[in-house]
Structures are given as C-alpha cells and as structure tokens.
Amino acid sequence: MHPHPRIAAIDLGSNSFHMLIAKATTRGYRIITRHRQKVRLADGLTPDLTLDDAAIERGIECLKDFAQRLAHYQPLQIRCVATATLRKAHNRKQILKRFERALGSPIDIISGMTEAGLIYQGATLELARPDSAMLVLDIGGASTEVIAGVGTEPHVLKSLDMGCVVWQNRFFAGGMISAARFAAAVAAAAEQIRPLATTYQAHGWQTVCGASGTFRGLQDCLRHYRADAMSAEFIRFCMEESIKQGSVDALPAIGVREDRIAVFCGGLAILVALTDNLDIKTVDLAQGALREGLVNTMLNERKRSLA
C-alpha cells in the first residue's frame, strides 16, 4: 500500500461542483489541484421537485471534465458526495445513474446532518483551537448549514431548507433588486432561523466563520470598499448598496465578481437573517468546507485501517 497516496474529494453542490485532489502526507495532506464549476443544479428543480434535462446535462458535462482530470492524476481513492438538490429531486435515481456513468465513480447522496458535519470539519481544520467554541455557516445553493461546536467537534448541527440559488429565484426573479424583495427574502429566512436561536446562543461561540461562495463574494466587497471586517454592519451595508444598484447586472459596481452576481442577493438575504437572529457580530472566511472535510475523513479512515 502506497504510504502517501493521492485522493480525490468531489462535492456536487446545488450551485457549484467542486473537486479537490490531494496527496496524503505525514502531517495530513497537501492539495495538488482543485476545480470548481458553476453548474447551478438547483436552477433546474421544478415545482414538482423534478430536476430538468438542462440542469442534468450541465452536471454531466462537468462530471465528464472531472473524469478526464481524474484519469490524469490517477488518485488511489475517490469519494463523491451530492447534497441538497439531489436529496430533494424525485428523479434522483435516474440522475445518479447518469452522473455515475459520466464520472466513472460511485456517488453518495448524503443527509443534511452528514453534510453539516463534513462542512464543520473542513471549516475548522485550520482555524480551531482545541478549546475554541465555533459557529460555522455554509449557505449552499439549496440548503444552509449552521453548526456550533468546540474545536473540530460539532455539537449542534442543522441543515435548513433554503439556499442562495433557491432564494435568488424566489425573491429576485428577473434579476431585479429592491428593498421590498430583500425584506421578503430576509423575513422568509428568519422564519427558519428564529426557532433555533436560543439553542445556538446557549451553546455560545468565540469565532464565526463562513464556508461558502456568499462569504467569498462579501470578501470581494470588503476589498472593494477597503473595509476591515465582515461585520454585521458591513453585511447590511452591502444589502443597502445592492438595493441602490437595482439590478443584478450592476452588482460589479460594489465589488461582486461577474461569476458571483447571479446568486449573490439570495445568499446575502439569508446571511442578513442569520446575523440578525443569531446576534452575530462578525464573520471570518473559513479556509475549508465540505470537500476538505471529506479529505480529512478519508485520511482518518485510512489511518485506522493501517493501525
């Protein structure tokens, strides 16, 4: 058995598909390459929860590309997981067969709780001290994970039925931005968060970190405005500035990258509701997310098998 094998972790998210290929080392792992492709799977989820052909084809094309990259790097172990959109899709069995054929590897549709645990693990690998109380937020395309823990151990895990793609389509259809649309989006997110507030606040945290594209989008805004921190005030400021633009197409004016504008307001509305209802003061950008958690899990399983 190779002492330092290459391993691949693939995350089929509702907004983006991610692939991370890493090499095991004596201290953990070293990332060889990572790839991300906007597939926007959740865009294809119809009202009757069937995933449409266009979204399926976008997924297949991405997975064919991933398969070519896997053939080049030849990892010893590959693990691929799918999240909220495929959890919801009534035609997931047929989709899974086609996706597995395109990738050439098995795909697991994981539960919201499993997803939350992997996200927490990936987000806290670099940030956490053993005694540090953490809150991790991940605003995906069709679900939002909120996880409180200590160090790298999650204690309270929730996967909420809302995400940046779903919220964008529901509240910002046609790319129009207004105060009324944001108010409705924030209120709908708050309905899901409010019942959990006491539980999370009782746990407490010293650090809050965000592990998804919404937070990377806000990091771009921070640089644009030369602001110091992703504070609750700055997050609300970005909402007000987005409203002033009036249209998704104008969001680059506040620092949002072109590849993030399509779902930025949906994610931002959810984040405003999170900061308001959980009384979050500031958010750090996490260094890892689900795929890093997946790599770490694979390495731990390998260590146990070699012990």
Side-chain angles (χ1 to χ4, degrees):
M1 193 175 284
H2 198 288
H4 302 300
R6 289 176 180 174
I7 55 177
I10 302 169
D11 160 20
L12 308 186
S14 298
N15 188 34
S16 300
F17 285 9
H18 295 261
M19 180 170 70
L20 186 157
I21 299 176
K23 184 176 182 179
T25 66
T26 50
R27 293 184 178 182
Y29 65 90
R30 177 174 59 83
I31 295 170
I32 298 170
T33 185
R34 59 168 82 233
H35 300 277
R36 173 175 66 99
Q37 198 163 315
K38 294 275 186 187
V39 175
R40 298 216 169 90
L41 214 57
D43 263 343
L45 207 55
T46 63
D48 68 350
L49 298 181
T50 300
L51 197 62
D52 68 24
D53 290 340
I56 294 169
E57 288 302 324
R58 290 196 300 273
I60 287 170
E61 286 307 306
C62 176
L63 293 174
K64 284 179 178 177
D65 177 66
F66 281 7
Q68 290 180 349
R69 296 176 191 276
L70 290 169
H72 174 73
Y73 287 100
Q74 295 189 327
L76 185 68
Q77 187 181 6
I78 301 166
R79 190 166 296 174
C80 179
V81 300
T83 58
T85 296
L86 285 184
R87 282 199 295 268
K88 293 179 179 181
H90 289 162
N91 55 336
R92 59 183 170 271
K93 287 184 180 177
Q94 302 94 299
I95 297 165
L96 208 56
K97 285 178 185 175
R98 296 182 67 188
F99 278 11
E100 287 179 337
R101 196 179 307 127
L103 183 63
S105 289
I107 299 169
D108 292 325
I109 300 176
I110 56 174
S111 69
M113 291 292 278
T114 299
E115 182 181 359
L118 287 168
I119 289 166
Y120 186 87
Q121 197 176 140
T124 58
L125 283 172
E126 299 295 331
L127 287 174
R129 298 190 309 271
D131 60 343
S132 178
M134 307 283 295
L135 181 70
V136 175
L137 310 173
D138 188 298
I139 301 169
S143 68
T144 293
E145 281 65 46
V146 185
I147 315 108
V150 175
T152 56
E153 289 297 319
H155 293 169
V156 185
L157 305 90
K158 296 287 182 184
S159 182
L160 305 177
D161 189 19
M162 58 184 178
C164 61
V165 176
V166 174
W167 247 232
Q168 188 78 29
N169 292 342
R170 187 180 300 175
F171 297 102
F172 302 96
M176 301 306 294
I177 307 169
S178 67
R181 288 181 178 220
F182 253 111
V186 172
E191 281 183 21
Q192 294 198 42
I193 301 160
R194 204 174 294 118
L196 308 173
T198 303
T199 300
Y200 279 100
Q201 287 170 342
H203 184 277
W205 53 79
Q206 293 157 279
T207 305
V208 182
C209 61
S212 56
T214 294
F215 301 97
R216 290 189 291 275
L218 280 163
Q219 193 77 6
D220 294 336
C221 295
L222 272 175
R223 284 191 285 268
H224 178 79
Y225 288 106
R226 298 180 181 178
D228 295 328
M230 203 182 296
S231 64
E233 291 79 12
F234 181 77
I235 291 164
R236 276 211 161 261
F237 168 77
C238 286
M239 180 175 71
E240 297 300 330
E241 291 301 299
S242 298
I243 292 166
K244 286 179 188 176
Q245 303 313 310
S247 166
V248 162
D249 293 335
L251 288 175
I254 68 167
V256 184
R257 279 174 22 192
E258 290 283 350
D259 65 331
R260 300 196 198 279
I261 62 173
V263 295
F264 180 75
C265 291
L268 182 57
I270 291 170
L271 181 54
V272 169
L274 284 164
T275 55
D276 284 356
N277 288 275
L278 298 182
D279 195 25
I280 293 168
K281 304 300 184 189
T282 189
V283 183
D284 295 327
L285 189 64
Q287 300 306 303
L290 193 155
R291 50 241 164 239
E292 286 81 6
L294 201 53
V295 166
N296 195 55
T297 299
M298 293 161 75
L299 290 175
N300 287 337
E301 288 172 357
R302 180 179 167 78
K303 285 176 189 173
R304 284 194 293 271
S305 71
L306 294 173

